[in-house]
């Protein structure tokens, strides 16, 4: 019926190709605009990688159109630069998820892990069946080993990309770690990527059956539907409040529920957080709480450099001091805990409900001793109580003896948050 409306298979192929190309270009443009408007570094970096993935899809279709519609060769070579573009799109989509998987994967609950495991098993079965079927076809068509490897990479790349995206959909959506409108950010892009992946597999099976790309079948419908959903996803994200949007998980309600110790004004909190990453998220939630427009002043003292903290967490209007023995501006010498305490107390005395993150107490202990470091913390805590501020001190309790741990727990509230292994 479609062939009757468009005149010939070649004409239908031509219209289908351009119908796919236009929405892909629109998606790339929309995501580029999101990158320009967003202020959060993590959101900008992630959306940039997703945008590059769609741009590479555009590049592939331009190569496809060159061979099919311009050169009129009736198909592409067994291997071409177009394959590199297309597979690279999955690589960039996967790369967008990796930092979040590495940093926050241990936040995922049992149910999400079970769902993900079921999907992984089902996807693995489909990939094995597809690769077996396609491999037999490659032998029949006398493909070279290189062309065969490239061809068989398509279902594997798609499965890996959708697996990682689904993991983040479960974390941000099902586990409710997402923030605001971006709670469904990964879901917005998982849908089109899964549709494109399904279309890729169908296209491969159709090619095996007919040794050609016949337009107007289910794979083309899935491609067009996937690109339409991607446009909707891009528009939804673009219409979000990008000046305040962030892809950093919101963990505050998760670690403060069910009777856990609350982070309250006027009392320092020792956080069992060896890698400090979740303590930084707690700090972010206190400095700019989602439920209120009121922002608090923040001060970070850390063994991480200011550039690293800004790049990783996007803090722009927060004072950051590097704990190091090197001399220089905004550097706190761990061998001089008195000066460090004075800087924190001065900050608290000049701010209202100021938030302090002291990430590196172990360094102070190493260069002095535990008792001197504890006295410094107690002195700072007195100022926290006096000026109704907040103090977050991430530690690895395994680094302390049982006596030292008991002294910390006696003088400070403790908060055990989910571990993050990087």
């Amino acid at each position: 019926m479609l062939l009757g409306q468009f005149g010939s298979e070649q004409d239908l192929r031509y219209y289908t190709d351009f119908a796919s190309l236009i929405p892909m270009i629109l998606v790339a443009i929309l995501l580029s605009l999101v990158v320009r408007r967003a202020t959060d570094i993590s959101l900008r970096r992630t959306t940039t990688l997703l945008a590059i993935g769609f741009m590479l899809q555009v590049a592939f279709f331009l190569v496809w159109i060159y061979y099919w519609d311009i050169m009129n060769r009736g198909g592409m070579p067994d291997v071409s630069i177009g394959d590199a573009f297309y597979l690279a799109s999955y690589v960039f989509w996967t790369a967008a998820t990796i930092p979040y998987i590495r940093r926050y994967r241990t936040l995922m609950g049992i149910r999400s892990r079970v769902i993900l495991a079921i999907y992984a098993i089902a996807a693995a079965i489909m990939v094995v069946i597809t690769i077996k079927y396609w491999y037999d076809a490659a032998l029949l068509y006398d493909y070279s080993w290189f062309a065969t490897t490239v061809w068989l990479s398509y279902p594997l790349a798609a499965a890996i990309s959708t697996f990682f995206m689904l993991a983040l959909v479960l974390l941000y959506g099902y586990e409710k770690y997402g923030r605001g409108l971006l709670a469904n950010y990964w879901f917005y892009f998982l849908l089109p990527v899964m549709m494109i992946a399904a279309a890729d597999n169908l296209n491969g099976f159709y090619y095996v059956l007919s040794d050609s790309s016949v337009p107007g079948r289910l794979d083309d419908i899935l491609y067009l539907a996937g690109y339409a959903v991607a446009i909707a996803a891009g528009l939804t994200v673009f219409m979000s409040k990008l000046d305040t949007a962030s892809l950093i998980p919101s963990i505050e309600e998760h670690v403060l529920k069910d009777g856990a110790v609350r982070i309250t004004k006027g009392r320092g909190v020792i956080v069992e957080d060896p890698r400090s990453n979740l303590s930084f998220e707690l700090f972010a939630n206190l400095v700019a709480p989602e439920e209120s427009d009121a922002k608090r002043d923040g001060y970070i003292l850390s063994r991480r450099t200011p550039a690293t903290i800004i790049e990783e967490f996007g803090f722009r209007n927060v004072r950051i001091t590097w704990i190091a023995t090197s001399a220089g501006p905004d550097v706190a010498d761990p061998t001089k805990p008195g000066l460090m305490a004075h800087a924190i107390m001065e900050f608290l005395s000049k701010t209202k409900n100021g938030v302090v993150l002291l990430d590196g107490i172990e360094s102070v202990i190493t260069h002095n001793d535990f008792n001197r470091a504890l006295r410094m913390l107690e002195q700072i805590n007195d100022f926290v109580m006096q000026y109704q501020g907040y103090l977050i001190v991430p530690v690895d309790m395994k680094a302390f003896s049982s006596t030292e741990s008991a002294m910390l727990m006696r003088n400070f509230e403790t908060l055990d948050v989910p571990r993050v292994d990087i």
Side-chain angles (χ1 to χ4, degrees):
M1 182 170 64
L2 287 175
L3 288 178
Q5 293 179 352
F6 287 93
S8 69
E9 183 176 302
Q10 182 65 24
D11 290 337
L12 180 56
R13 176 80 274 162
Y14 177 82
Y15 288 118
T16 302
D17 290 344
F18 276 93
S20 300
L21 180 63
I22 292 172
M24 275 193 292
I25 294 174
L26 290 177
V27 172
I29 292 173
L30 275 172
L31 295 183
S32 299
L33 292 175
V34 170
V35 173
R36 288 180 60 87
R37 283 188 55 199
T39 57
D40 180 70
I41 291 179
S42 61
L43 176 59
R44 293 181 62 183
R45 182 181 300 157
T46 302
T47 307
T48 296
L49 292 172
L50 293 177
I52 292 173
F54 282 103
M55 290 176 186
L56 288 166
Q57 294 256 318
V58 172
F60 166 81
F61 263 83
L62 291 175
V63 174
W64 175 277
I65 289 172
Y66 171 78
Y67 283 109
W68 273 89
D69 302 313
I70 297 177
M71 299 299 293
N72 198 26
R73 293 180 55 174
M76 293 177 63
D78 293 342
V79 179
S80 72
I81 188 66
D83 293 294
F85 289 146
Y86 206 92
L87 291 172
S89 68
Y90 281 115
V91 171
F92 275 90
W93 290 336
T94 304
T97 69
I98 296 300
Y100 305 94
I101 296 293
R102 290 179 67 244
R103 191 178 304 153
Y104 305 118
R105 66 183 182 273
T106 50
L107 294 176
M108 190 174 292
I110 297 298
R111 291 182 181 179
S112 293
R113 292 174 184 270
V114 170
I115 294 172
L116 198 60
I118 293 172
Y119 175 81
I121 293 170
I125 293 172
M126 287 298 300
V127 168
V128 169
I129 293 174
T130 302
I131 288 179
K132 175 64 170 63
Y133 194 66
W134 289 10
Y135 180 74
D136 292 340
L139 293 178
L140 180 64
Y141 296 147
D142 197 27
Y143 282 0
S144 68
W145 68 268
F146 182 69
T148 301
T149 302
V150 171
W151 197 26
L152 299 183
S153 297
Y154 276 81
L156 185 60
I160 292 173
S161 185
T162 53
F163 173 83
F164 283 123
M165 280 196 174
L166 177 61
L168 292 179
V169 168
L170 292 171
L171 179 64
Y172 280 71
Y174 184 70
E175 300 280 355
K176 301 187 184 304
Y177 280 99
R179 300 182 178 206
L181 291 175
L182 293 188
N184 296 314
Y185 178 91
W186 293 106
F187 179 72
Y188 297 149
F189 294 103
L190 172 65
L191 281 180
V193 170
M194 290 189 76
M195 289 180 179
I196 292 170
D200 289 341
N201 288 336
L202 272 176
N203 182 267
F205 279 108
Y206 283 145
Y207 189 83
V208 168
L209 293 173
S210 60
D211 194 21
S212 64
S213 178
V214 179
R217 294 198 289 202
L218 182 58
D219 56 335
D220 284 318
I221 295 173
L222 278 174
Y223 280 127
L224 292 173
Y227 301 140
V229 173
I231 290 176
L235 280 172
T236 302
V237 176
F238 181 75
M239 297 301 292
S240 302
K241 295 181 179 180
L242 294 176
D243 55 334
T244 58
S246 173
L247 281 180
I248 297 175
S250 177
I251 68 167
E252 191 172 46
E253 68 173 274
H254 292 265
V255 299
L256 301 180
K257 64 183 179 181
D258 299 331
V261 178
R262 292 182 176 275
I263 297 180
T264 54
K265 289 187 293 185
R267 186 73 188 270
V269 176
I270 297 292
V271 184
E272 171 62 17
D273 183 16
R275 300 291 185 178
S276 304
N277 289 299
L278 295 183
S279 295
F280 275 92
E281 318 307 348
L282 286 173
F283 175 85
N285 287 334
L286 287 171
V287 170
E290 296 180 43
E291 70 279 2
S292 172
D293 293 332
K295 297 185 182 298
R296 305 182 180 98
D297 292 322
Y299 183 21
I300 298 173
L301 297 93
S302 176
R303 286 287 298 155
R304 308 187 197 193
T305 64
T308 300
I309 293 172
I310 292 172
E311 180 182 2
E312 192 166 354
F313 299 99
F315 296 127
R316 293 290 182 183
N317 299 314
V318 171
R319 180 181 173 186
I320 303 175
T321 294
W322 182 30
I323 300 177
T325 54
S326 304
D330 294 322
V331 175
D333 189 344
T335 64
K336 301 176 180 178
L339 293 179
M340 192 181 304
H342 176 76
I344 295 173
M345 291 186 293
E346 184 179 26
F347 165 78
L348 290 169
S349 66
K350 293 181 179 179
T351 59
K352 180 182 180 180
N353 306 136
V355 185
V356 177
L357 172 60
L358 178 54
D359 172 36
I361 189 62
E362 292 87 354
S363 179
V364 177
I365 295 173
T366 299
H367 288 88
N368 300 274
D369 58 58
F370 177 80
N371 289 330
R372 190 176 181 188
L374 182 61
R375 286 196 298 271
M376 182 193 78
L377 287 176
E378 291 174 342
Q379 190 178 12
I380 295 171
N381 199 35
D382 289 342
F383 261 68
V384 170
M385 288 187 285
Q386 180 180 349
Y387 291 99
Q388 290 296 287
Y390 298 83
L391 173 63
I392 302 172
V393 185
V395 299
D396 183 359
M397 284 297 187
K398 293 180 180 179
F400 300 102
S401 67
S402 57
T403 301
E404 292 169 343
S405 297
M407 293 176 69
L408 284 173
M409 295 174 68
R410 185 178 68 245
N411 289 278
F412 294 87
E413 293 183 350
T414 58
L415 181 62
D416 185 14
V417 299
R419 286 180 175 271
V420 176
D421 301 317
I422 296 180

